[in-house]
């Protein structure tokens, strides 16, 4: 895409051809690492000059063409200071390798111990997680983390996995949600039924039983199915007997998960159980500040009284705490950055989030939020006209679930989903309803979504 980017730069920023040929054309991509692009500057050009003059326009063009923001760093072959030494190349390769290992392990790189704020509410869960990460299989096995929605369980689990991989790239780490695990079991059983050999099932077993560290998130959704619990029980026992580390999360302690078989409950109680509760005011402030630092939001100069207003009002869910901050910044940008980020704006941003203790209602908006979070896509995308399956499938699920769970007619659903017509919505909802009859994994997924929508 590089030629396209510099061509865009040339036309959008009306760069004279002599300037273009002298400065821009000789640039080559040196490396791309996570969110930074390293650009090699030719030997007879000045890095400082190019940086000063072109780094910002280039950054804008890159974001426009690639639909993603990158930092731009110019490097020169001759410049001793930034000359990439052998070790940096090695380091770069090492990081790349870790990245691809993290991908294989289903780990999100942004969730690490470094970005996790420790407070009274989570210090025990945090220190237990760190101990397990430092000595997998040796101290607390299994480690069972539990706590309410949005309090940092998933963040801690990824932190453990990332820490272990960073220290030992050879470790076989695997993070799965219990939904993914259940669907894999269902698939393997189905494939085993249609083909004479049980290859799918043995492949499944092979995969899970050769793992060093298994992280299984939201175990409360291993529901009802004896076959899945059976399979999980055996996986658990084999890993446990081989002294492999198992980390489990749930919204409740083992003994309170009704759908869980007694023998699994007692297995889960063999190790260490750590809970995470709601953060206090100081911790909420610290999390907001950390988030500002990580997302480079300092430039908005949000005053302490505004942060304190958010932290005093959003109490029980850290995801909502982050959401309020994002909403605040979105509102500020929408207003063309006029005015100030003040408490008045913050109170607007919080309208969606401050819901006094009263029971939340199942609204179409809630269903959309839950589906988007579940599939890790944005609400914007869900409401778009994009047709790729990563987006159109969750959109059809939204059509189906809103229709089933609320009284909204197809027409209203269409409007809510970014202006789809009645027949599109009906078609989507009908398709899911029809597929549900045959597709057991879809049934499992819908069952889990329904639990997320209405946990009671
Ligand atoms: P859970 O899995 O318990 O529902 P998550 O781990 O998904 O919650 O956390 C929700 C959001 O809050 C994530 O974006 C996470 O990074 C953030 N978060 C939770 N706890 C902390 C913390 N102690 N420090 C910083 N961020 C946190
Ligand atoms: Mg989670």
């Amino acid at each position: 895409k590089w030629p396209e980017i510099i061509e865009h730069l040339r036309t959008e920023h009306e760069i004279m051809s002599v300037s273009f040929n002298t400065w821009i054309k000789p640039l080559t991509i040196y490396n791309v690492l996570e969110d930074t692009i390293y650009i090699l500057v030719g030997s007879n050009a000045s890095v400082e000059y190019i940086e000063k003059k072109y780094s910002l326009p280039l950054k804008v063009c890159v974001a426009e063409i690639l639909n993603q923001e990158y930092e731009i760093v110019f490097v020169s072959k001759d410049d001793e200071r930034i000359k990439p030494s052998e070790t940096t190349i090695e380091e770069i390769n090492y990081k790349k390798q870790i990245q691809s290992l993290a991908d294989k392990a289903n780990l999100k790189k942004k969730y690490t111990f470094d970005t996790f704020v420790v407070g009274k509410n989570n210090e025990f869960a945090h220190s237990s997680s760190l101990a397990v990460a430092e000595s997998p299989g040796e101290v607390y096995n299994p480690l069972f983390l539990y706590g309410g929605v949005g309090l940092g369980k998933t963040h801690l689990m990824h932190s453990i996995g990332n820490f272990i991989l960073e220290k030992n790239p050879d470790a076989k780490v695997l993070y799965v949600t219990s939904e993914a695990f259940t669907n894999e079991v269902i698939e393997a059983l189905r494939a085993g039924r249609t083909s004479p050999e049980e290859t799918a099932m043995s492949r499944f077993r092979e995969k899970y039983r050769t793992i060093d560290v298994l992280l299984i998130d939201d175990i409360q959704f291993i529901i009802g199915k004896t076959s899945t619990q059976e399979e999980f029980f055996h996986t658990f026992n084999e890993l446990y007997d081989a002294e492999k580390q198992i980390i489990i999360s749930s919204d409740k302690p083992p003994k309170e998960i009704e759908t869980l078989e007694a023998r699994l409950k007692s297995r889960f109680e063999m190790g260490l159980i750590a809970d995470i509760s709601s953060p206090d005011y100081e911790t909420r402030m610290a999390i907001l500040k950390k988030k500002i630092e990580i997302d480079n939001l300092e430039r908005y100069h949000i005053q302490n009284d505004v942060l304190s207003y958010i932290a005093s009002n959003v109490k029980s869910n850290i995801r909502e705490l982050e959401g309020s901050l994002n909403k605040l910044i979105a509102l500020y940008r929408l207003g063309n950055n006029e005015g100030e980020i003040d408490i008045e704006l913050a109170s607007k941003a919080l309208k969606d989030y401050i819901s006094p203790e009263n029971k939340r209602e199942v609204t179409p908006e809630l269903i959309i939020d839950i589906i988007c979070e579940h599939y890790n896509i944005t609400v914007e995308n869900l409401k778009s006209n994009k047709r790729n399956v990563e987006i159109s499938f969750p959109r059809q699920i939204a059509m189906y679930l809103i229709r089933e769970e609320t009284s909204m007619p197809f027409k209203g659903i269409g409007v809510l989903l970014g202006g789809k017509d009645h027949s599109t919505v009906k078609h989507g909802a009908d398709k899911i309803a029809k597929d549900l009859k045959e597709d057991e994994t879809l049934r499992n997924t819908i069952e889990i979504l329904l639990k997320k929508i209405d946990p009671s």
Side-chain angles (χ1 to χ4, degrees), residues 110-111 115-119 121-122 147-158 175 217-218 249-250 276 279 283 286-287 290-291 294 317-320 322 373:
K110 67 168 180 177
Y111 290 154
T115 56
F116 190 84
V117 174
V118 182
N121 63 311
N122 59 25
V149 174
L151 294 181
K153 303 181 295 293
T154 299
H155 189 137
L156 270 183
M157 294 184 97
H158 285 277
Y175 167 92
D217 205 355
D218 287 329
S249 86
S250 174
I276 307 184
T283 311
I287 289 172
K290 185 87 187 177
K291 167 113 174 125
I294 293 170
N317 182 324
I318 297 171
R319 191 172 298 127
E320 291 181 357
E322 294 180 340
E373 200 207 296

Side-chain angles (χ1 to χ4, degrees), residues 306-317:
V306 174
L307 290 182
S308 152
Y309 177 81
I310 299 178
S312 326
N313 284 292
V314 186
K315 290 185 183 149
S316 59
N317 182 324

